[in-house]
Amino acid sequence: MWKVVFSCSLVILALSATLHVSFRAPPVTMSRSALPTVMNAIRVARFGGPEVLKLESNVPMPQPSEGQVLLRVHAAGVNPVETYIRAGTYARKPELPFTPGSDAAGEIADVGAGVNNVKVGDRVFTRSAQGAYAQYALASAGDVQPLSAKLTYEQGAALPVPYLTAYRALFLRGAAKTGETVLIHGGTGGVGTAAIQLALSQGLRVLATGGTDAGLDMLRTLGVHGAFNHRQSGYTEQIHAATDGKGVDLIVENLANVNLDADLRLLALGGRVMVVGNRGRIEVNPRDLMMAEGDVRGVMLFHTTPEEYVTSYAAIQAAVDSGHVRPVIGKRFPLGESPAAHDDIINTSGALGKLVLTVE
């Protein structure tokens, strides 16, 4: 009898030691009964410029219903689409007033009925927070993902839209294959750095463009095979030469209204352009597309199916575990400086990673 107890004790001690080494201790969280009744949140009462983003301190705390979780937000990702929604120029307009943001990382503060995939205190990130620019936000339990202990909350907030978009552009829409050459046009921003890391993780030869010396240095640090200044005259010839005149197999395009015409002349035979970002119209010569027998394909994360989300998250989590994915955080703004963050993401002269809001 004593031998059995002693053996069980050794097993428990061994497991405890293993868990202690492999995982961080869970964060200390308040009990459900200690949750506040009001919170700080950014509210938008009318569509307009960044100035309509107002920090309010008495916003009622949301309560999770069946199938929902309440997330204590520590960081929120800022995406260009949120500036269009705020301005009222996006195709879908939220009901006023509203709290912007969908990308968030934090810890589970409460769960609704029927939720058993996460528990209070878990570190998670999500693409579907119902108002991420706040201290607390609701999300569907099925849309929260475990946040690796290898990543900070800020890095977790940088994962959803940028990495899901990059994966969709590269592999779901772009059908990238190991050994192909991909050009990440605008490689220094959130989606750009995500695309670089995911492409390198799958054995692609990666070329990328930036607009500043600091941006080019960052691209080289990320491990690209070639970094080019898209503000420099003749940069497309340099890219073409880097492919020995064959052209690139795949382009991830973050500003199509500026670059698409030149993109078509960079394509290898059968090459594809994935349009991820665009802010206006552009004139192109279809003959360039004919010469390459190329494709121009739009990429919209909204069209991702549930099955594709499962595939995408699995690939991203695997790349995090292997060390290939480490979101690059560019600028950090406190929650109250959301207007400055919205101005920066549209008007910056050169992004250097993902822009996030920090939430106290």
Side-chain angles (χ1 to χ4, degrees):
M1 177 64 178
W2 287 108
K3 291 182 179 180
V4 173
V5 172
F6 182 70
S7 298
C8 291
S9 299
L10 288 177
V11 171
I12 292 171
L13 287 171
L15 287 173
S16 300
T18 302
L19 291 172
H20 178 73
V21 171
S22 302
F23 300 94
R24 293 180 181 177
V28 177
T29 58
M30 62 183 66
S31 66
R32 291 181 177 89
S33 60
L35 288 172
T37 57
V38 295
M39 64 177 182
N40 296 333
I42 296 295
R43 300 292 281 169
V44 175
R46 62 181 177 86
F47 297 115
E51 70 279 359
V52 304
L53 298 166
K54 302 294 186 182
L55 178 64
E56 297 183 9
S57 59
N58 61 346
V59 178
M61 275 282 292
Q63 301 295 321
S65 56
E66 184 174 0
Q68 290 185 318
V69 300
L70 179 66
L71 180 66
R72 172 61 173 98
V73 179
H74 289 285
V78 179
N79 298 299
V81 67
E82 288 146 24
T83 69
Y84 312 145
I85 295 171
R86 179 216 69 225
T89 59
Y90 195 61
R92 293 178 294 143
K93 295 182 177 64
E95 183 178 344
L96 297 170
F98 71 96
T99 295
S102 61
D103 286 0
E107 58 194 76
I108 301 294
D110 198 0
V111 299
V115 174
N116 52 28
N117 62 312
V118 291
K119 64 184 184 301
V120 172
D122 284 354
R123 300 174 78 247
V124 297
F125 68 94
T126 183
R127 64 178 176 85
S128 62
Q130 297 177 18
Y133 295 14
Q135 287 181 306
Y136 293 86
L138 295 176
S140 170
D143 285 334
V144 297
Q145 299 289 318
L147 177 60
S148 170
K150 297 178 180 180
L151 302 182
T152 66
Y153 286 121
E154 292 176 0
Q155 289 175 313
L159 281 173
V161 166
Y163 281 83
L164 289 168
T165 300
Y167 188 86
R168 183 168 184 79
L170 287 167
F171 304 109
L172 299 181
R173 295 286 290 150
K177 301 178 182 63
T178 299
E180 286 191 317
T181 298
V182 58
L183 170 65
I184 313 300
H185 214 155
T188 61
V191 173
T193 53
I196 288 169
Q197 292 179 352
L198 289 172
L200 289 172
S201 75
Q202 297 300 313
L204 277 75
R205 182 168 184 261
V206 180
L207 310 178
T209 70
T212 64
D213 289 341
L216 296 179
D217 287 342
M218 186 186 75
L219 294 176
R220 296 184 187 102
T221 299
L222 288 173
V224 300
H225 299 89
F228 306 88
N229 189 333
H230 55 225
R231 292 196 173 103
Q232 185 179 74
S233 177
Y235 83 94
T236 55
E237 288 80 2
Q238 297 173 14
I239 293 173
H240 205 257
T243 67
D244 295 326
K246 297 176 182 178
V248 296
D249 301 296
L250 183 67
I251 298 176
V252 176
E253 180 52 70
N254 284 286
L255 196 58
N257 58 296
V258 172
N259 303 316
L260 185 58
D261 185 47
D263 288 344
L264 301 185
R265 295 190 294 275
L266 285 171
L267 289 178
L269 184 62
R272 297 88 70 198
V273 180
M274 301 296 110
V275 177
V276 169
N278 181 66
R279 296 180 187 173
R281 303 179 69 86
I282 187 172
E283 182 177 316
V284 301
N285 184 351
R287 185 165 294 279
D288 295 325
L289 200 59
M290 294 163 60
M291 291 295 292
E293 287 198 332
D295 294 323
V296 177
R297 303 175 189 172
V299 178
M300 183 66 71
L301 187 59
F302 174 76
H303 296 300
T304 305
T305 67
E307 295 77 17
E308 288 172 334
Y309 273 123
V310 171
T311 299
S312 301
Y313 275 127
I316 292 167
Q317 293 279 28
V320 169
D321 291 341
S322 67
H324 287 95
V325 161
R326 289 291 182 272
V328 179
I329 306 302
K331 295 181 180 179
R332 301 164 175 82
F333 291 84
L335 182 62
E337 295 182 17
S338 295
H342 270 219
D343 178 73
D344 188 276
I345 200 169
I346 294 298
N347 298 317
T348 184
S349 60
L352 291 174
K354 178 64 178 175
L355 193 156
V356 298
L357 298 174
T358 57
V359 185
E360 297 297 331

